[in-house]
């Protein structure tokens, strides 16, 4: 993680907006300089093509000057390193310097080595893959919000296009699309939560990690009437592979997937018969 942050810092210091500001003439940054840097980053993020819609609402476009000071003075290790909020901050910094996400920065950086070598402890291993799974689930949730349109374009950042998980998600979304139902996200009525991550295997090409997931989904028909609700907690297992020097999710085991697919089919049949 330390290497990732050091490379992000270099990218920030050489960013055109930073070089063309008063920051370039100050060798030792203090509180005033971090306030200026915070404003520069906020302005750039507010206009970034990679930070729009739900993702913009989710991540936000600001990073406090205090957080930036901690990052640049290496005062983050004991305070925030394993915190997912800190990983979201790194996500925004990667977007600021021109990458689609933190994962994209790691995958495309010229000096990138085996991702596992970037971490010093098992906790940091877990944090890296937690972030990947969180991003995948967030974009999967966005796919549900887009129904009846079936669009997995953003998911390709986190899952392999030729993997079994991609095929399974596509099939499930197509079934739900035919139901002509809409996911109700008003007042946070539909949401998900992921917690209790556990790594059961980690090597040079494969990581197996499990997590408890709670999904609460409220489906409504075209008239706004509640058609179906799904509210369950289960333990899911993710198989994350390294291919072409990139880590992505290859597959996952969701013990409730069969019920999800069957439920969609039964609802569809009931509508046709009606």
């Amino acid at each position: 993680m330390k290497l990732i942050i050091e490379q992000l810092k270099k990218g920030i210091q050489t960013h055109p907006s930073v070089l063309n500001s008063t920051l370039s003439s100050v060798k030792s940054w203090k509180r005033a300089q971090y306030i200026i840097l915070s404003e520069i980053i906020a302005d750039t993020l507010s206009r970034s093509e990679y930070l729009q819609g739900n993702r913009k609402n989710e991540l936000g476009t600001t990073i406090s000057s205090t957080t930036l000071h901690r990052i640049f003075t290496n005062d983050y290790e004991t305070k925030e390193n394993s915190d997912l909020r800190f990983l979201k901050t790194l996500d925004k910094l990667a977007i600021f310097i021109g990458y689609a996400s933190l994962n994209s920065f790691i995958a495309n950086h010229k000096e990138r080595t085996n991702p596992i070598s970037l971490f010093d402890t098992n906790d940091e291993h877990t944090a890296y893959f937690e972030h990947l799974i969180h991003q995948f689930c967030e974009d999967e949730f966005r796919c549900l919000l887009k129904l009846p349109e079936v669009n997995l374009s953003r998911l390709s950042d986190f899952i392999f296009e030729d993997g079994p998980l991609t095929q399974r998600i596509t099939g499930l979304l197509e079934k739900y699309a035919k139901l002509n139902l809409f996911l109700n996200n008003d007042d946070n009525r539909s949401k998900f939560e992921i917690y209790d991550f556990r790594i059961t295997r980690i090597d040079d090409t494969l990581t197996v990690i499990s997590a408890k997931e709670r999904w609460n989904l409220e489906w409504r028909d075209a008239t706004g009437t509640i058609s179906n609700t799904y509210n369950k907690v289960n333990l899911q297992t993710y198989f994350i592979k390294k291919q072409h020097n990139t880590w992505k999710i290859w597959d996952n085991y969701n013990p409730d997937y069969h019920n999800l697919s069957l439920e969609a089919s039964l609802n569809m049949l009931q509508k046709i018969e009606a």
Side-chain angles (χ1 to χ4, degrees):
M1 181 65 78
K2 186 174 182 180
L3 178 58
I4 294 174
I5 294 173
E6 288 303 312
Q7 298 295 353
L8 284 170
K9 284 158 62 174
K10 289 180 181 178
I12 294 167
Q13 291 167 330
T14 57
H15 191 280
S17 296
V18 174
L19 293 177
N20 293 328
S21 72
T22 58
L23 297 177
S24 61
S25 61
V26 181
K27 291 184 178 180
S28 180
W29 289 354
K30 299 188 182 301
R31 182 174 180 273
Q33 282 70 49
Y34 289 112
I35 291 175
I36 293 172
L37 179 61
S38 176
E39 293 172 350
I40 291 173
I41 290 174
D43 178 64
T44 301
L45 290 179
S46 67
R47 295 179 284 105
S48 173
E49 63 178 309
Y50 300 119
L51 202 55
Q52 300 295 325
N54 288 334
R55 185 161 170 76
K56 185 174 183 179
N57 295 331
E58 178 186 302
L59 287 180
T61 60
T62 61
I63 302 175
S64 73
S65 59
T66 301
T67 298
L68 291 170
H69 179 266
R70 287 177 179 172
I71 290 172
F72 275 85
T73 58
N74 299 321
D75 188 31
Y76 56 83
E77 295 183 2
T78 58
K79 295 180 177 65
E80 299 177 280
N81 202 26
S82 61
D83 190 337
L84 283 175
R85 289 175 297 178
F86 184 60
L87 288 175
K88 288 189 175 184
T89 295
L90 299 185
D91 221 3
K92 286 187 282 189
L93 292 179
I95 293 171
F96 170 69
I97 62 178
Y99 292 85
S101 65
L102 178 61
N103 290 328
S104 177
F105 170 79
I106 295 172
N108 290 283
H109 201 277
K110 293 180 180 178
E111 297 180 18
R112 182 176 185 267
T113 59
N114 185 334
I116 300 306
S117 69
L118 300 176
F119 301 93
D120 301 318
T121 68
N122 287 335
D123 287 341
E124 288 177 341
H125 292 170
T126 305
Y128 174 81
F129 292 113
E130 280 182 22
H131 180 70
L132 179 65
I133 293 170
H134 263 280
Q135 289 296 104
F136 158 69
C137 288
E138 287 172 359
D139 276 2
E140 184 181 23
F141 186 73
R142 291 190 190 99
C143 287
L144 294 174
L145 289 173
K146 290 179 181 177
L147 287 171
E149 175 191 1
V150 177
N151 185 344
L152 278 71
S153 58
R154 289 180 59 103
L155 280 175
S156 61
D157 288 341
F158 313 108
I159 60 178
F160 288 105
E161 294 183 6
D162 58 343
L165 181 56
T166 298
Q167 298 174 16
R168 207 158 50 246
I169 292 175
T170 302
L172 186 61
L173 288 175
E174 289 175 346
K175 285 185 177 180
Y176 275 106
K178 292 178 181 177
L179 295 174
N180 199 30
L181 297 179
F182 302 88
L183 191 63
N184 180 26
N185 198 33
D186 294 340
D187 299 323
N188 209 26
R189 298 298 294 271
S190 296
K191 56 188 176 181
F192 69 91
E193 180 184 6
I194 313 173
Y195 56 96
D196 198 14
F197 288 87
R198 304 277 178 92
I199 286 183
T200 58
R201 172 180 171 177
I202 183 169
D203 57 36
D204 291 341
T205 58
L206 177 66
T207 291
V208 181
I209 184 169
S210 63
K212 290 181 181 178
E213 298 187 14
R214 177 191 297 274
W215 287 79
N216 182 48
L217 306 175
E218 183 180 286
W219 298 99
R220 293 179 178 268
D221 60 24
T223 66
T225 303
I226 297 177
S227 176
N228 188 27
T229 58
Y230 174 87
N231 189 350
K232 289 187 180 180
V233 179
N234 60 28
L235 182 69
Q236 299 198 28
T237 303
Y238 289 84
F239 301 88
I240 305 172
K241 293 176 66 174
K242 180 184 178 185
Q243 289 187 354
H244 310 300
N245 211 31
T246 300
W247 288 93
K248 290 185 181 183
I249 300 170
W250 175 255
D251 201 1
N252 91 317
Y253 171 66
N254 180 351
D256 203 43
Y257 171 78
H258 177 71
N259 291 335
L260 281 169
S261 182
L262 181 61
E263 184 177 20
S265 298
L266 288 175
N267 281 342
M268 188 190 310
L269 181 62
Q270 290 172 358
K271 285 180 174 291
I272 292 174
E273 290 179 342

